[in-house]
Protein backbone atom coordinates (compact mmCIF):
# COMPACT_ATOMS: atom_id res chain seq x y z
CA UNK A 1 0.00 0.00 0.00
CA UNK A 2 1.39 3.37 -0.99
CA UNK A 3 1.44 6.06 1.60
CA UNK A 4 1.01 9.62 0.52
CA UNK A 5 2.03 12.40 2.79
CA UNK A 6 -0.16 15.36 2.11
CA UNK A 7 0.04 18.88 3.35
CA UNK A 8 -2.65 19.87 5.84
CA UNK A 9 -5.90 20.27 3.95
CA UNK A 10 -5.94 23.99 4.54
CA UNK A 11 -2.36 24.76 3.46
CA UNK A 12 -2.41 27.11 0.53
CA UNK A 13 -6.16 26.78 0.10
CA UNK A 14 -7.42 29.43 2.46
CA UNK A 15 -6.46 33.06 2.93
CA UNK A 16 -5.23 32.56 6.47
CA UNK A 17 -3.17 29.45 5.77
CA UNK A 18 -1.61 30.93 2.65
CA UNK A 19 -0.75 34.16 4.40
CA UNK A 20 0.73 32.20 7.31
CA UNK A 21 3.04 30.39 4.92
CA UNK A 22 4.42 33.82 4.06
CA UNK A 23 4.74 34.81 7.71
CA UNK A 24 1.68 37.05 7.47
CA UNK A 25 -1.89 37.00 8.71
CA UNK A 26 -5.12 37.47 6.81
CA UNK A 27 -7.92 39.06 8.78
CA UNK A 28 -11.41 40.44 8.58
CA UNK A 29 -13.64 42.82 10.47
CA UNK A 30 -16.25 40.91 12.45
CA UNK A 31 -19.62 42.02 13.83
CA UNK A 32 -20.63 40.26 17.04
CA UNK A 33 -24.30 39.99 16.10
CA UNK A 34 -23.40 37.93 13.04
CA UNK A 35 -21.59 35.22 15.01
CA UNK A 36 -24.87 33.35 15.36
CA UNK A 37 -25.18 33.12 11.58
CA UNK A 38 -23.86 29.85 10.26
CA UNK A 39 -23.08 31.02 6.75
CA UNK A 40 -21.00 33.84 8.23
CA UNK A 41 -18.99 31.85 10.76
CA UNK A 42 -18.37 29.07 8.26
CA UNK A 43 -16.38 31.47 6.08
CA UNK A 44 -14.86 33.30 9.03
CA UNK A 45 -13.57 30.15 10.69
CA UNK A 46 -12.31 28.63 7.45
CA UNK A 47 -10.53 31.58 5.87
CA UNK A 48 -9.21 34.01 8.46
CA UNK A 49 -6.63 34.01 11.25
CA UNK A 50 -6.98 37.61 12.43
CA UNK A 51 -10.12 39.39 13.56
CA UNK A 52 -10.94 43.06 14.17
CA UNK A 53 -14.17 43.90 15.99
CA UNK A 54 -15.93 46.18 13.50
CA UNK A 55 -17.63 48.40 16.12
CA UNK A 56 -17.53 46.55 19.44
CA UNK A 57 -14.27 47.96 20.83
CA UNK A 58 -15.02 51.56 19.91
CA UNK A 59 -15.39 54.07 22.71
CA UNK A 60 -19.19 54.27 22.52
CA UNK A 61 -19.37 50.48 22.85
CA UNK A 62 -16.85 49.94 25.65
CA UNK A 63 -17.61 52.99 27.83
CA UNK A 64 -21.23 53.95 27.03
CA UNK A 65 -21.50 55.91 30.28
CA UNK A 66 -18.47 57.52 31.82
CA UNK A 67 -16.71 55.09 34.14
CA UNK A 68 -19.07 52.21 33.26
CA UNK A 69 -17.39 49.76 30.98
CA UNK A 70 -19.20 47.26 28.82
CA UNK A 71 -17.40 44.36 27.22
CA UNK A 72 -20.06 41.78 26.34
CA UNK A 73 -19.96 42.04 22.55
CA UNK A 74 -16.22 42.70 22.31
CA UNK A 75 -15.49 39.69 24.52
CA UNK A 76 -17.79 37.59 22.37
CA UNK A 77 -15.61 38.34 19.36
CA UNK A 78 -12.32 37.95 21.23
CA UNK A 79 -13.41 34.60 22.64
CA UNK A 80 -14.71 33.35 19.31
CA UNK A 81 -11.42 34.25 17.67
CA UNK A 82 -8.96 33.11 20.30
CA UNK A 83 -10.68 29.81 20.99
CA UNK A 84 -10.15 29.02 17.30
CA UNK A 85 -6.54 30.16 17.12
CA UNK A 86 -7.26 33.48 15.47
CA UNK A 87 -5.60 36.64 16.77
CA UNK A 88 -7.28 39.97 17.42
CA UNK A 89 -6.60 43.54 16.35
CA UNK A 90 -8.05 45.99 18.86
CA UNK A 91 -9.93 48.91 17.27
CA UNK A 92 -9.79 51.60 18.63
CA UNK A 93 -8.82 53.34 21.88
CA UNK A 94 -8.84 57.04 20.94
CA UNK A 95 -10.80 58.53 18.05
CA UNK A 96 -12.95 61.55 17.25
CA UNK A 97 -15.59 59.20 15.83
CA UNK A 98 -18.09 56.97 17.59
CA UNK A 99 -17.56 58.68 20.93
CA UNK A 100 -20.31 58.20 23.50
CA UNK A 101 -22.45 61.28 24.15
CA UNK A 102 -20.74 62.06 27.43
CA UNK A 103 -17.36 62.22 25.72
CA UNK A 104 -18.59 64.22 22.72
CA UNK A 105 -19.53 67.05 25.04
CA UNK A 106 -16.19 67.05 26.86
CA UNK A 107 -13.20 69.29 26.25
CA UNK A 108 -9.87 70.16 27.78
CA UNK A 109 -8.46 68.61 30.91
CA UNK A 110 -11.54 66.59 31.73
CA UNK A 111 -11.45 65.01 28.27
CA UNK A 112 -7.71 64.35 28.38
CA UNK A 113 -8.08 62.60 31.72
CA UNK A 114 -11.12 60.66 30.50
CA UNK A 115 -9.29 59.58 27.35
CA UNK A 116 -6.27 58.34 29.28
CA UNK A 117 -8.51 56.52 31.73
CA UNK A 118 -10.44 54.92 28.88
CA UNK A 119 -7.24 53.71 27.24
CA UNK A 120 -5.88 52.38 30.51
CA UNK A 121 -9.10 50.57 31.42
CA UNK A 122 -9.79 48.98 28.04
CA UNK A 123 -6.21 48.01 27.25
CA UNK A 124 -5.86 46.56 30.75
CA UNK A 125 -9.11 44.63 30.40
CA UNK A 126 -7.86 42.91 27.24
CA UNK A 127 -4.22 42.76 28.32
CA UNK A 128 -2.41 39.83 26.74
CA UNK A 129 -5.19 39.09 24.27
CA UNK A 130 -4.56 41.71 21.61
CA UNK A 131 -2.03 41.34 18.79
CA UNK A 132 -2.07 45.01 17.96
CA UNK A 133 -4.11 48.00 19.09
CA UNK A 134 -5.19 50.88 16.92
CA UNK A 135 -4.35 53.25 19.74
CA UNK A 136 -5.29 56.37 17.81
CA UNK A 137 -7.52 56.41 14.75
CA UNK A 138 -7.86 59.06 12.05
CA UNK A 139 -6.16 62.02 13.74
CA UNK A 140 -4.97 63.73 10.55
CA UNK A 141 -6.92 66.08 8.29
CA UNK A 142 -7.84 65.30 4.71
CA UNK A 143 -6.71 67.65 1.98
CA UNK A 144 -3.46 69.47 1.51
CA UNK A 145 -2.59 70.70 4.99
CA UNK A 146 -0.78 67.59 6.14
CA UNK A 147 -1.78 68.60 9.65
CA UNK A 148 -4.01 67.35 12.39
CA UNK A 149 -7.77 67.08 12.15
CA UNK A 150 -9.65 69.38 14.47
CA UNK A 151 -11.48 67.43 17.18
CA UNK A 152 -12.19 67.68 20.87
CA UNK A 153 -9.22 65.35 21.46
CA UNK A 154 -6.89 67.48 19.32
CA UNK A 155 -7.99 70.56 21.25
CA UNK A 156 -6.71 69.02 24.48
CA UNK A 157 -3.18 69.65 23.15
CA UNK A 158 -1.03 68.43 20.29
CA UNK A 159 0.58 65.83 22.53
CA UNK A 160 -2.68 63.88 22.91
CA UNK A 161 -1.51 61.20 20.49
CA UNK A 162 1.75 60.47 22.25
CA UNK A 163 0.02 60.58 25.63
CA UNK A 164 -2.42 57.97 24.29
CA UNK A 165 0.42 55.71 23.14
CA UNK A 166 2.18 55.96 26.48
CA UNK A 167 -0.94 55.05 28.38
CA UNK A 168 -1.55 52.08 26.09
CA UNK A 169 2.03 50.83 26.46
CA UNK A 170 1.81 51.05 30.24
CA UNK A 171 -1.47 49.10 30.25
CA UNK A 172 -0.55 46.30 27.82
CA UNK A 173 3.18 46.17 27.11
CA UNK A 174 2.74 43.03 24.99
CA UNK A 175 0.48 44.52 22.31
CA UNK A 176 1.84 46.23 19.23
CA UNK A 177 0.68 49.81 19.27
CA UNK A 178 -0.47 51.26 15.93
CA UNK A 179 -1.51 54.60 14.54
CA UNK A 180 -4.33 53.94 12.02
CA UNK A 181 -5.72 56.19 9.28
CA UNK A 182 -7.27 56.40 5.79
CA UNK A 183 -6.17 58.38 2.73
CA UNK A 184 -2.61 57.70 3.81
CA UNK A 185 -1.96 55.10 1.11
CA UNK A 186 -0.80 57.39 -1.67
CA UNK A 187 2.77 58.44 -0.95
CA UNK A 188 2.35 61.81 -2.66
CA UNK A 189 -0.62 62.90 -0.56
CA UNK A 190 -0.03 65.54 2.11
CA UNK A 191 -1.91 63.48 4.69
CA UNK A 192 0.44 60.54 4.14
CA UNK A 193 3.42 62.83 4.62
CA UNK A 194 1.91 64.34 7.75
CA UNK A 195 1.53 60.94 9.37
CA UNK A 196 4.98 59.91 8.17
CA UNK A 197 6.55 62.96 9.81
CA UNK A 198 4.71 62.28 13.06
CA UNK A 199 5.92 58.67 13.15
CA UNK A 200 9.46 59.73 12.36
CA UNK A 201 9.30 62.24 15.21
CA UNK A 202 7.83 59.64 17.58
CA UNK A 203 10.60 57.18 16.77
CA UNK A 204 13.25 59.88 17.27
CA UNK A 205 11.82 60.84 20.65
CA UNK A 206 11.11 57.35 21.97
CA UNK A 207 7.32 57.58 21.90
CA UNK A 208 6.17 53.94 22.07
CA UNK A 209 4.75 53.29 18.59
CA UNK A 210 5.22 49.90 16.91
CA UNK A 211 3.11 50.00 13.79
CA UNK A 212 1.11 52.04 11.35
CA UNK A 213 -2.24 50.82 10.07
CA UNK A 214 -3.32 51.72 6.56
CA UNK A 215 -7.09 51.41 6.34
CA UNK A 216 -6.92 51.23 2.54
CA UNK A 217 -10.55 51.88 1.70
CA UNK A 218 -9.97 52.21 -2.04
CA UNK A 219 -12.64 53.83 -4.16
CA UNK A 220 -13.05 56.35 -6.97
CA UNK A 221 -12.16 59.27 -4.70
CA UNK A 222 -9.23 57.51 -3.06
CA UNK A 223 -8.00 54.92 -5.55
CA UNK A 224 -5.19 52.43 -5.18
CA UNK A 225 -1.99 54.06 -6.45
CA UNK A 226 1.07 52.32 -7.81
CA UNK A 227 3.19 54.07 -5.17
CA UNK A 228 1.40 52.16 -2.39
CA UNK A 229 4.41 49.87 -1.99
CA UNK A 230 6.62 52.94 -1.61
CA UNK A 231 4.34 54.15 1.15
CA UNK A 232 4.50 50.84 3.00
CA UNK A 233 8.26 50.49 2.63
CA UNK A 234 8.94 54.12 3.55
CA UNK A 235 7.05 53.82 6.81
CA UNK A 236 8.70 50.46 7.52
CA UNK A 237 12.08 52.11 7.03
CA UNK A 238 11.29 54.33 10.01
CA UNK A 239 11.41 51.22 12.20
CA UNK A 240 7.71 50.40 12.52
CA UNK A 241 5.64 47.50 11.27
CA UNK A 242 2.94 48.25 8.73
CA UNK A 243 -0.46 46.59 8.53
CA UNK A 244 -3.26 46.87 6.00
CA UNK A 245 -6.16 47.22 8.39
CA UNK A 246 -9.50 47.83 6.65
CA UNK A 247 -9.06 46.86 3.02
CA UNK A 248 -11.98 47.14 0.62
CA UNK A 249 -11.89 48.10 -3.04
CA UNK A 250 -14.86 49.60 -4.84
CA UNK A 251 -15.87 47.05 -7.47
CA UNK A 252 -13.37 44.53 -6.06
CA UNK A 253 -11.02 44.53 -9.04
CA UNK A 254 -9.12 41.24 -8.91
CA UNK A 255 -6.07 42.96 -10.33
CA UNK A 256 -6.06 45.67 -7.66
CA UNK A 257 -6.52 43.13 -4.88
CA UNK A 258 -3.58 41.16 -6.31
CA UNK A 259 -1.39 44.25 -6.34
CA UNK A 260 -2.23 45.09 -2.73
CA UNK A 261 -1.22 41.59 -1.66
CA UNK A 262 1.98 41.74 -3.69
CA UNK A 263 2.82 45.11 -2.16
CA UNK A 264 2.43 43.76 1.36
CA UNK A 265 4.49 40.66 0.56
CA UNK A 266 7.22 42.87 -0.89
CA UNK A 267 7.69 44.72 2.40
CA UNK A 268 9.24 42.57 5.11
CA UNK A 269 7.60 44.56 7.89
CA UNK A 270 4.10 44.30 6.42
CA UNK A 271 2.57 41.95 9.01
CA UNK A 272 -0.68 41.18 7.28
CA UNK A 273 -3.89 42.27 5.62
CA UNK A 274 -7.37 42.70 7.08
CA UNK A 275 -10.41 43.13 4.83
CA UNK A 276 -13.27 45.21 6.22
CA UNK A 277 -15.92 42.50 6.21
CA UNK A 278 -16.47 39.05 4.76
CA UNK A 279 -19.31 39.18 2.19
CA UNK A 280 -20.39 42.23 0.19
CA UNK A 281 -23.54 42.26 2.28
CA UNK A 282 -21.38 42.65 5.39
CA UNK A 283 -19.61 45.74 4.06
CA UNK A 284 -20.17 49.22 5.43
CA UNK A 285 -20.16 50.18 1.75
CA UNK A 286 -22.22 47.25 0.48
CA UNK A 287 -23.36 49.07 -2.65
CA UNK A 288 -19.72 49.22 -3.81
CA UNK A 289 -19.47 45.39 -3.63
CA UNK A 290 -15.88 45.84 -2.42
CA UNK A 291 -15.12 42.52 -0.70
CA UNK A 292 -13.90 39.02 -1.53
CA UNK A 293 -17.15 37.07 -1.11
CA UNK A 294 -20.53 37.59 -2.76
CA UNK A 295 -23.51 38.20 -0.53
CA UNK A 296 -24.40 34.52 -0.93
CA UNK A 297 -20.99 33.55 0.44
CA UNK A 298 -19.41 32.43 -2.83
CA UNK A 299 -15.83 33.39 -3.70
CA UNK A 300 -15.41 36.26 -6.12
CA UNK A 301 -12.61 36.59 -8.72
CA UNK A 302 -10.89 38.93 -6.26
CA UNK A 303 -10.73 36.07 -3.76
CA UNK A 304 -8.96 33.84 -6.30
CA UNK A 305 -6.54 36.66 -7.13
CA UNK A 306 -5.69 37.21 -3.47
CA UNK A 307 -5.19 33.52 -2.79
CA UNK A 308 -2.99 33.12 -5.87
CA UNK A 309 -0.92 36.16 -4.96
CA UNK A 310 -0.42 34.82 -1.44
CA UNK A 311 0.62 31.43 -2.80
CA UNK A 312 2.81 32.81 -5.58
CA UNK A 313 4.58 35.26 -3.37
CA UNK A 314 8.16 34.52 -2.65
CA UNK A 315 9.58 34.52 0.83
CA UNK A 316 9.59 38.13 1.97
CA UNK A 317 12.60 39.94 0.54
CA UNK A 318 14.24 42.65 2.53
CA UNK A 319 12.36 45.87 2.30
CA UNK A 320 12.98 47.60 -0.98
CA UNK A 321 14.16 51.17 -0.52
CA UNK A 322 11.59 53.75 -1.49
CA UNK A 323 11.88 54.54 -5.18
CA UNK A 324 10.40 58.01 -5.24
CA UNK A 325 10.90 59.63 -1.90
CA UNK A 326 10.08 63.34 -2.09
CA UNK A 327 13.18 65.26 -1.05
CA UNK A 328 11.50 66.99 1.87
CA UNK A 329 10.46 63.79 3.57
CA UNK A 330 13.39 61.42 3.19
CA UNK A 331 14.11 59.43 6.34
CA UNK A 332 16.74 61.04 8.50
CA UNK A 333 20.24 60.37 7.32
CA UNK A 334 21.96 61.17 10.56
CA UNK A 335 22.36 58.34 13.03
CA UNK A 336 20.00 58.51 16.00
CA UNK A 337 21.67 59.92 19.11
CA UNK A 338 21.53 56.57 20.86
CA UNK A 339 23.92 54.91 18.40
CA UNK A 340 26.91 53.57 20.26
CA UNK A 341 30.13 55.45 19.67
CA UNK A 342 32.87 53.35 18.08
CA UNK A 343 34.98 53.20 21.19
CA UNK A 344 33.84 52.92 24.78
CA UNK A 345 34.71 56.12 26.57
CA UNK A 346 35.77 56.16 30.21
CA UNK A 347 32.89 57.15 32.44
CA UNK A 348 31.81 60.59 33.06
CA UNK A 349 34.65 62.93 32.15
CA UNK A 350 32.58 65.59 30.47
CA UNK A 351 29.44 65.40 32.58
CA UNK A 352 25.96 66.02 31.27
CA UNK A 353 23.06 68.41 31.50
CA UNK A 354 19.32 67.82 31.49
CA UNK A 355 16.41 70.04 30.54
CA UNK A 356 12.69 69.41 31.01
CA UNK A 357 9.81 70.39 28.78
CA UNK A 358 6.47 70.20 30.54
CA UNK A 359 2.97 70.01 29.18
CA UNK A 360 0.74 70.76 32.16
CA UNK A 361 -3.04 70.64 32.35
CA UNK A 362 -5.26 70.85 35.38
CA UNK A 363 -4.61 67.69 37.32
CA UNK A 364 -1.91 66.14 35.17
CA UNK A 365 1.22 66.58 33.09
CA UNK A 366 3.63 65.05 30.64
CA UNK A 367 7.34 65.86 31.06
CA UNK A 368 9.96 65.22 28.40
CA UNK A 369 13.56 65.30 29.58
CA UNK A 370 16.49 65.84 27.27
CA UNK A 371 19.86 64.53 28.44
CA UNK A 372 22.85 66.11 26.70
CA UNK A 373 26.40 64.84 27.02
CA UNK A 374 29.17 67.33 27.76
CA UNK A 375 32.60 67.32 26.16
CA UNK A 376 32.94 63.54 26.47
CA UNK A 377 30.62 60.74 25.48
CA UNK A 378 28.41 59.22 28.16
CA UNK A 379 28.34 55.52 29.02
CA UNK A 380 25.32 55.98 31.25
CA UNK A 381 23.53 58.76 33.07
CA UNK A 382 21.43 59.58 36.09
CA UNK A 383 19.04 62.51 36.18
CA UNK A 384 17.62 63.74 39.47
CA UNK A 385 14.37 65.68 39.47
CA UNK A 386 12.67 66.98 42.59
CA UNK A 387 8.92 67.05 42.22
CA UNK A 388 6.79 69.50 44.20
CA UNK A 389 4.43 67.99 46.73
CA UNK A 390 1.24 66.77 45.11
CA UNK A 391 2.97 65.74 41.88
CA UNK A 392 3.11 61.96 41.38
CA UNK A 393 4.62 60.03 38.49
CA UNK A 394 2.21 57.46 37.05
CA UNK A 395 4.02 56.28 33.94
CA UNK A 396 7.40 56.73 32.28
CA UNK A 397 9.36 55.71 29.20
CA UNK A 398 12.97 55.33 28.07
CA UNK A 399 14.41 55.50 31.61
CA UNK A 400 14.44 53.49 34.83
CA UNK A 401 13.08 55.42 37.77
CA UNK A 402 13.25 55.31 41.50
CA UNK A 403 10.49 57.10 43.36
CA UNK A 404 7.27 58.62 42.12
CA UNK A 405 7.15 61.66 44.43
CA UNK A 406 9.65 64.10 45.89
CA UNK A 407 13.22 63.42 44.77
CA UNK A 408 13.16 61.05 41.80
CA UNK A 409 16.17 59.50 40.13
CA UNK A 410 16.15 58.47 36.47
CA UNK A 411 18.81 56.27 34.89
CA UNK A 412 19.30 55.26 31.30
CA UNK A 413 17.87 52.05 29.89
CA UNK A 414 19.97 49.66 27.80
CA UNK A 415 19.55 51.45 24.50
CA UNK A 416 20.07 55.09 25.46
CA UNK A 417 22.94 55.11 27.96
CA UNK A 418 25.60 55.79 25.38
CA UNK A 419 25.41 59.36 24.17
CA UNK A 420 28.14 60.88 22.04
CA UNK A 421 29.90 64.06 23.15
CA UNK A 422 27.51 66.96 22.67
CA UNK A 423 24.71 64.59 21.62
CA UNK A 424 21.34 64.13 23.30
CA UNK A 425 18.79 61.50 24.14
CA UNK A 426 15.35 61.80 25.70
CA UNK A 427 13.11 60.13 28.21
CA UNK A 428 9.83 61.16 29.74
CA UNK A 429 7.18 60.64 32.29
CA UNK A 430 3.56 61.35 32.90
CA UNK A 431 1.87 62.12 36.20
CA UNK A 432 -0.89 63.65 38.22
CA UNK A 433 -0.79 66.95 40.06
CA UNK A 434 1.22 70.03 39.17
CA UNK A 435 4.87 69.61 38.26
CA UNK A 436 5.86 73.25 37.90
CA UNK A 437 9.26 73.91 36.24
CA UNK A 438 11.65 71.40 37.74
CA UNK A 439 15.42 71.95 37.54
CA UNK A 440 16.95 68.56 36.84
CA UNK A 441 20.54 67.68 37.56
CA UNK A 442 22.48 65.18 35.48
CA UNK A 443 25.43 62.98 36.42
CA UNK A 444 27.45 60.70 34.17
CA UNK A 445 27.84 57.13 35.39
C1 LIG B 1 -17.27 51.60 10.24
C2 LIG B 1 -18.08 50.34 10.44
O1 LIG B 1 -17.73 49.44 9.42
C3 LIG B 1 -19.56 50.66 10.40
O2 LIG B 1 -20.32 49.52 10.77
C4 LIG B 1 -19.88 51.80 11.34
O3 LIG B 1 -21.24 52.17 11.17
C5 LIG B 1 -18.99 53.00 11.09
O4 LIG B 1 -17.64 52.60 11.17
N1 LIG B 1 -12.69 53.70 9.43
C6 LIG B 1 -12.63 53.01 10.61
C7 LIG B 1 -13.71 52.05 10.94
O5 LIG B 1 -11.65 53.12 11.34
O6 LIG B 1 -13.94 51.99 12.32
C8 LIG B 1 -14.98 52.37 10.22
O7 LIG B 1 -15.91 51.30 10.47
C9 LIG B 1 -14.73 52.56 8.74
C10 LIG B 1 -13.79 53.68 8.50
Amino acid sequence: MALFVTAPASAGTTLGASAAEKGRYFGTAVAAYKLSENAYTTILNREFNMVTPENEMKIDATEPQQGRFSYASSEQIVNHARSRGMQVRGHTLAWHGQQPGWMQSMEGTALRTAMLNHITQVATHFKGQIYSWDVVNEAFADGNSGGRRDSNLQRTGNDWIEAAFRAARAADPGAKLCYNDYNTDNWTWAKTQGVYNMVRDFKARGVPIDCVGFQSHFNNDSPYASNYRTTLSSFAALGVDVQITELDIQGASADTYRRVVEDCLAVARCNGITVWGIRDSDSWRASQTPLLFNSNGSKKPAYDAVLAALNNGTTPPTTAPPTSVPPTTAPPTTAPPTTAPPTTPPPGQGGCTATVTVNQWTGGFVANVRVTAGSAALNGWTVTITLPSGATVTNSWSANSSGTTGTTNWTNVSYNGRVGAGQSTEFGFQGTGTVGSPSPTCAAS
Side-chain angles (χ1 to χ4, degrees):
M1 184 177 74
L3 276 180
F4 296 95
V5 179
T6 54
S10 63
T13 65
T14 67
L15 302 171
S18 296
E21 288 180 354
K22 296 297 183 300
R24 309 307 210 282
Y25 63 77
F26 208 96
T28 181
V30 163
Y33 73 89
K34 291 177 186 161
L35 290 174
S36 55
E37 194 190 324
N38 225 348
Y40 183 79
T41 52
T42 298
I43 305 175
L44 169 63
N45 299 348
R46 184 186 72 219
E47 296 287 343
F48 298 96
N49 54 11
M50 181 70 73
V51 156
T52 306
E54 185 172 359
N55 289 295
E56 293 78 353
M57 282 186 180
K58 292 173 180 174
I59 313 171
D60 58 354
T62 50
E63 195 177 357
Q65 295 169 275
Q66 188 173 15
R68 302 182 77 142
F69 292 85
S70 161
Y71 297 114
S73 59
S74 49
E75 282 179 348
Q76 206 189 332
I77 295 175
V78 170
N79 294 338
H80 181 101
R82 287 172 51 82
S83 66
R84 290 166 178 80
M86 308 172 192
Q87 292 181 286
V88 180
R89 296 194 78 260
H91 175 80
T92 176
L93 294 170
W95 186 25
H96 69 276
Q98 289 178 266
Q99 293 184 355
W102 64 265
M103 187 179 270
Q104 288 177 31
S105 57
M106 267 188 172
E107 297 278 347
T109 305
L111 175 60
R112 173 67 70 95
T113 305
M115 177 195 83
L116 293 173
N117 182 56
H118 179 84
I119 292 168
T120 302
Q121 296 288 334
V122 176
T124 300
H125 181 83
F126 289 107
K127 182 177 178 175
Q129 302 185 72
I130 303 296
Y131 168 77
S132 58
W133 265 114
D134 290 333
V135 177
V136 171
N137 197 36
E138 301 182 348
F140 276 72
D142 289 311
N144 294 325
S145 78
R148 299 285 181 86
R149 168 198 298 277
D150 178 53
S151 71
N152 59 347
L153 291 168
Q154 179 62 30
R155 290 190 295 272
T156 69
N158 205 50
D159 65 338
W160 74 277
I161 299 180
E162 57 197 270
F165 275 86
R166 287 175 174 132
R169 176 70 96 226
D172 186 358
K176 294 191 198 203
L177 304 183
C178 299
Y179 175 80
N180 192 54
D181 215 328
Y182 68 93
N183 282 356
T184 49
D185 315 293
N186 189 322
W187 180 242
T188 67
W189 286 20
K191 187 172 175 182
T192 309
Q193 294 301 313
V195 174
Y196 176 86
N197 287 330
M198 177 187 75
V199 174
R200 181 169 61 176
D201 170 59
F202 279 11
K203 293 300 288 182
R205 290 191 295 113
V207 176
I209 185 170
D210 306 305
C211 41
V212 174
F214 297 85
Q215 293 185 8
S216 306
H217 294 292
F218 292 122
N219 53 54
N220 296 341
D221 297 325
S222 180
Y224 169 87
S226 57
N227 62 30
Y228 187 53
R229 190 179 299 191
T230 298
T231 302
L232 298 177
S233 62
S234 299
F235 274 83
L238 292 176
V240 288
D241 289 343
V242 293
Q243 301 175 359
I244 298 169
T245 53
E246 304 183 14
L247 179 64
D248 48 24
I249 301 174
Q250 180 170 19
S253 154
D255 192 54
T256 308
Y257 264 106
R258 172 184 60 78
R259 293 176 70 175
V260 169
V261 172
E262 288 174 353
D263 289 341
C264 179
L265 293 179
V267 176
R269 293 195 76 150
C270 181
N271 302 144
I273 299 172
T274 294
V275 286
W276 205 240
I278 298 177
R279 304 159 301 189
D280 284 333
S281 51
D282 300 317
S283 171
W284 70 313
R285 290 174 168 170
S287 65
Q288 295 184 4
T289 59
L291 295 175
L292 301 178
F293 293 87
N294 282 315
S295 298
N296 66 10
S298 59
K299 296 170 181 172
K300 293 165 65 175
Y303 173 95
D304 297 329
V306 166
L307 189 67
L310 289 169
N311 287 332
N312 288 343
T314 50
T315 315
T318 50
T319 309
T323 49
S324 62
V325 182
T328 51
T329 54
T333 50
T334 50
T338 50
T339 304
T343 56
T344 304
Q349 287 171 340
C352 54
T353 55
T355 54
V356 186
T357 311
V358 170
N359 186 333
Q360 177 76 55
W361 60 92
T362 312
F365 63 86
V366 168
N368 279 297
V369 185
R370 174 172 283 264
V371 178
T372 305
S375 57
L378 298 171
N379 248 340
W381 44 263
T382 301
V383 172
T384 302
I385 300 174
T386 302
L387 301 174
S389 76
T392 305
V393 175
T394 54
N395 176 27
S396 66
W397 51 96
S398 305
N400 296 309
S401 59
S402 76
T404 57
T405 57
T407 302
T408 58
N409 286 311
W410 304 84
T411 55
N412 61 278
V413 288
S414 59
Y415 56 84
N416 65 4
R418 294 186 173 197
V419 185
Q423 301 284 298
S424 301
T425 188
E426 288 195 335
F427 70 95
F429 56 93
Q430 190 170 338
T432 55
T434 302
V435 73
S437 314
S439 309
T441 59
C442 187
S445 52

